Amino acid sequence: MILHSLILKLAVAGAGPHFPLAFTLVYVVGFIAAVTIGSIAWYNSKRPPGWEDRKRPNIVPKVNVSEEDSK
């Protein structure tokens, strides 16, 4: 019993953080990039019903697509 509790204490003490900071930053930056790219794509696509008369925000760049590229 004493040996078991000692091993458990050593395992918990050496565990450290479960999720490193670098992985967290990758996920946060990836999420922000996905939202940004998705927003640009959505604002430059055809509008869904009810959104046809909405204007594009000034921060969203206009993406020009030729007819040949859209086929």
Side-chain angles (χ1 to χ4, degrees):
M1 184 69 171
I2 295 173
L3 182 61
H4 176 59
S5 65
L6 179 62
I7 293 173
L8 184 61
K9 286 180 184 178
L10 289 174
V12 171
H18 294 291
F19 208 66
L21 179 64
F23 289 126
T24 305
L25 290 176
V26 167
Y27 288 125
V28 168
V29 170
F31 178 77
I32 292 171
V35 168
T36 303
I37 292 168
S39 297
I40 291 171
W42 187 82
Y43 277 112
N44 284 308
S45 67
K46 292 183 181 178
R47 305 291 192 276
W51 288 83
E52 295 92 348
D53 59 344
R54 301 285 185 218
K55 294 197 178 205
R56 178 186 332 275
N58 292 335
I59 61 170
V60 176
K62 175 88 171 138
V63 177
N64 295 324
V65 179
S66 65
E67 287 295 319
E68 293 177 10
D69 292 342
S70 63
K71 291 182 182 179

